Amino acid sequence: MNLLPNAGPTAPTNHVDLDRCFSTVSRDRDPESIAIESYSDLYGHLWGGRGWPDILKSRLVVVLGEPGSGKTAELRQQAARLRATGEAALFIRLDEIATQGWDAALSPDDRITLTHWHTGQGNVTIFLDSVDESKIRQAEDFYRALRRTVAALGSAGLRRARFVLSSRISEWHPETDGAEVIRLLTVPSAAPQGDNNAAEPAAALELVQLQPLDRERIGRFAAARGINPVEDFLTALERAHAWEFARRPLDVTDLAAYWIQHNRLGSLTDLLEFSITRNLRETPAREKLDPLTLAQARAGAEDLAAAAVVCRTLTFRIPDGNLMSGGLDARACLPPSWTPAQISALLSRPIFDGASYGHIRFHHRRLLEFLAATWLRRHLAEGAGLDELEQLCFAKNGDQRILRAAFASVAAWLCAGDGSWHERFRTWVLDSAPSIHLRFGDPAALEPGYRRRLLAALSVRGRERGWLGLETSRSALGRLVSPELVPKSSPHRRPISGFRPSQRDAPSSSLRPCS
């Protein structure tokens, strides 16, 4: 330990300590399973994960996280925490090192810390924030920031330094970025002269990913954002079946703003539109360099969502200087007029998550399905024929229509609306696959008369077959039911409170400490 005078505040005043947990990222993992795990963790399957004390045992760590996951806040807080205990720690932005130089990037408190550390014998932990921000102008800026850091520390100082970097997953390129970090920041092992292993790195580069928030952490963060009583907000999340929209601090901030403004959370459709609009806007720090308008970003997201559904591929490749296997090429899915800068800007939006190295996917599959449906609505409004939609969504067996499995989720969203083509499309769905509304879309957005016809169609199928096996969830049933489904003349009419979510629909109710 390197005991230092307490320079400056011990912690950011607006930080909310959430005791964040991390998962180790392995290149051997299947990209789809990694992405699915990030969502299933919401539903009460967090395995405890690793905490900061364990992470900081490594000399070289890269913390990966999606936009809005809280990477910067976590690094800044850990630097303040270490300094409060008398250890040397610096928090520095990589983009400022690249553009302004090492000395200019240091705060007055950092300079004091660095001076005492240089004259002492202990180690220093240097938190280098935001690889992605340092690459806004060009990727070379990130490497320039690393070289300036090494030059400022010197070879002796480098041996006494530990590094924690942060990055969006989509902007971290393991083949290039990882190799350069290892080359510049690792030091040779201390070994006897003539030992062939002396040039090997003393510490390997460790990659970890921030885990999503559970119920307790969501509540703690919402309370800090002005929600009072917070239990009303959490209960509304349960009743709206909206846990999937609260996995990151940014998500909770958005939901809290919606709650404070409307004193409710709204329907699934409302939440999706709200989430899409918020997550397609660029952050203020990057807004001036943004080559996309919000309308362009929305159209591009719809194009990519439609391509993912048609091609039955959920991931998109991120160029990394070499050929990545699997995933769609986003350039081929967008209009030819889109520039590389516009494509890169779209893929960096918080609406996308990093599924694994070199690949991204939509933040949630429900977002993809909703955007694909809005893409189809847009093209129908622009003159596409209903017969084209029919051929896309349905196969034919004589006079019988069979809903294609790949379009089941999109078809459920298309049934909501009052356009000239909606009634015919809804009839096709009722005749071929009425049960899709028990799994997909937003049943609450369906017109009550159609919902009654849906229940009648399911009843007829059950009588004809003698049984009816349905795959559904409490959240879908909760959105389907309403007092409007019971005829006013029915003697059994009474208020319907809806279904409460099962354990798999809600995140864990108890905070699991990190190991």
Side-chain angles (χ1 to χ4, degrees):
M1 178 177 293
N2 184 31
L3 295 178
L4 299 171
N6 185 8
T10 59
T13 56
N14 62 345
H15 179 76
V16 183
D17 185 6
L18 297 175
D19 187 26
R20 298 298 295 273
C21 294
F22 303 84
S23 300
T24 300
V25 177
S26 169
R27 294 189 63 182
D28 299 330
R29 292 288 307 281
D30 170 59
E32 185 67 12
S33 67
I34 293 174
I36 291 174
E37 180 182 299
S38 71
Y39 299 115
S40 64
D41 278 351
L42 270 180
Y43 301 98
H45 305 302
L46 283 172
W47 300 327
R50 302 170 60 191
W52 274 111
D54 186 48
I55 297 301
L56 293 176
K57 293 176 183 177
S58 300
R59 185 181 173 276
L60 269 184
V61 182
V62 177
V63 176
L64 302 177
E66 303 312 323
S69 60
K71 303 181 297 298
T72 296
E74 286 296 314
L75 265 63
R76 191 187 299 275
Q77 168 66 11
Q78 289 306 311
R81 183 186 65 79
L82 290 176
R83 284 166 55 175
T85 62
E87 295 189 40
L90 309 174
F91 172 87
I92 315 173
R93 293 185 58 87
L94 282 162
D95 59 318
E96 293 181 357
I97 299 175
T99 57
Q100 303 173 28
W102 172 265
D103 290 336
L106 294 175
S107 70
D109 289 346
D110 290 333
R111 292 191 184 94
I112 295 173
T113 297
L114 202 59
T115 298
H116 283 277
W117 169 72
H118 270 303
T119 58
Q121 299 297 320
N123 297 327
V124 63
T125 303
I126 302 177
F127 295 87
L128 298 173
D129 187 43
S130 204
V131 171
D132 46 285
E133 296 287 349
S134 70
K135 293 181 177 181
I136 289 179
R137 292 175 176 82
Q138 55 182 350
E140 173 60 25
D141 286 347
F142 168 48
Y143 307 136
R144 181 181 299 109
L146 292 180
R147 291 194 295 270
R148 287 177 172 176
T149 299
V150 172
L153 295 177
S155 58
L158 188 62
R159 292 180 179 276
R160 296 196 288 131
R162 173 174 55 193
F163 298 92
V164 180
L165 295 80
S166 72
S167 177
R168 296 184 183 186
I169 296 179
S170 62
E171 296 298 320
W172 177 255
H173 301 156
E175 300 299 329
T176 52
D177 298 339
E180 195 70 359
V181 167
I182 291 173
R183 185 180 74 84
L184 292 172
L185 300 185
T186 55
V187 293
S189 302
Q193 188 174 5
D195 192 329
N196 293 332
N197 296 323
E200 294 183 0
L205 177 65
E206 183 168 13
L207 294 164
V208 297
Q209 182 175 2
L210 274 168
Q211 286 188 351
L213 303 180
D214 63 5
R215 189 183 194 278
E216 287 291 336
R217 291 176 173 90
I218 291 170
R220 190 187 302 178
F221 195 80
R225 291 294 174 267
I227 301 297
N228 185 28
V230 72
E231 198 59 38
D232 290 351
F233 177 73
L234 297 176
T235 299
L237 278 173
E238 292 178 355
R239 290 177 176 171
H241 316 284
W243 293 111
E244 66 201 65
F245 299 100
R247 70 186 295 264
R248 305 169 299 180
L250 175 65
D251 298 330
V252 181
T253 298
D254 289 348
L255 285 175
Y258 192 99
W259 174 267
I260 292 172
Q261 181 179 350
H262 302 284
N263 199 31
R264 62 181 180 84
L265 288 183
S267 67
L268 175 60
T269 302
D270 294 335
L271 291 175
L272 283 172
E273 283 290 356
F274 182 75
S275 176
I276 289 168
T277 300
R278 299 276 288 213
N279 288 324
L280 283 177
R281 289 196 179 106
E282 189 49 282
T283 59
R286 302 163 68 106
E287 193 170 10
K288 291 182 180 179
L289 299 173
D290 185 18
L292 289 176
T293 66
L294 180 58
Q296 287 174 320
R298 174 65 182 252
E302 291 177 0
D303 289 343
L304 294 185
V309 171
V310 171
C311 299
R312 304 186 186 186
T313 302
L314 300 180
T315 59
F316 297 87
R317 295 193 297 274
I318 297 292
D320 187 21
N322 54 7
L323 183 63
M324 303 298 297
S325 61
L328 295 173
D329 183 353
R331 295 169 295 185
C333 304
L334 293 165
S337 60
W338 276 59
T339 66
Q342 288 176 314
I343 296 172
S344 177
L346 176 62
L347 297 180
S348 69
R349 293 295 201 268
I351 200 170
F352 295 101
D353 281 351
S356 187
Y357 298 109
H359 297 81
I360 67 162
R361 56 174 285 151
F362 279 91
H363 175 51
H364 196 280
R365 185 160 181 169
R366 200 189 300 273
L367 287 169
L368 180 151
E369 296 161 355
F370 180 79
L371 285 167
T374 59
W375 182 90
L376 285 170
R377 286 196 183 97
R378 170 158 57 93
H379 281 269
L380 286 167
E382 292 172 353
L386 186 57
D387 57 335
E388 296 179 66
L389 179 64
E390 181 183 10
Q391 292 174 18
L392 187 66
C393 295
F394 297 90
K396 281 289 193 73
N397 182 13
D399 294 333
Q400 183 182 10
R401 293 181 184 85
I402 302 171
L403 181 63
R404 301 183 195 275
F407 286 87
S409 58
V410 176
W413 284 108
L414 290 174
C415 286
D418 55 3
S420 59
W421 54 272
H422 278 96
E423 187 55 35
R424 286 184 63 189
F425 189 83
R426 284 192 286 258
T427 299
W428 297 341
V429 169
L430 280 186
D431 291 341
S432 60
S435 63
I436 65 170
H437 295 296
L438 302 182
R439 297 180 58 197
F440 306 115
D442 182 6
L446 300 172
E447 190 266 330
Y450 177 68
R451 277 186 277 171
R452 285 192 287 269
R453 290 166 56 199
L454 163 64
L455 294 176
L458 293 173
S459 178
V460 169
R461 289 195 170 205
R463 286 197 299 270
E464 290 174 347
R465 300 176 183 177
W467 64 278
L468 189 63
L470 297 174
E471 184 178 353
T472 186
S473 67
R474 289 292 185 97
S475 60
L477 291 175
R479 293 185 178 107
L480 177 66
V481 298
S482 76
E484 300 163 302
L485 298 185
V486 182
K488 293 183 179 180
S489 58
S490 171
H492 304 292
R493 179 177 174 84
R494 64 173 182 264
I496 300 177
S497 59
F499 292 86
R500 291 188 59 80
S502 64
Q503 182 61 33
R504 71 172 185 170
D505 290 318
S508 173
S509 59
S510 60
L511 182 68
R512 291 179 173 84
C514 304
S515 59

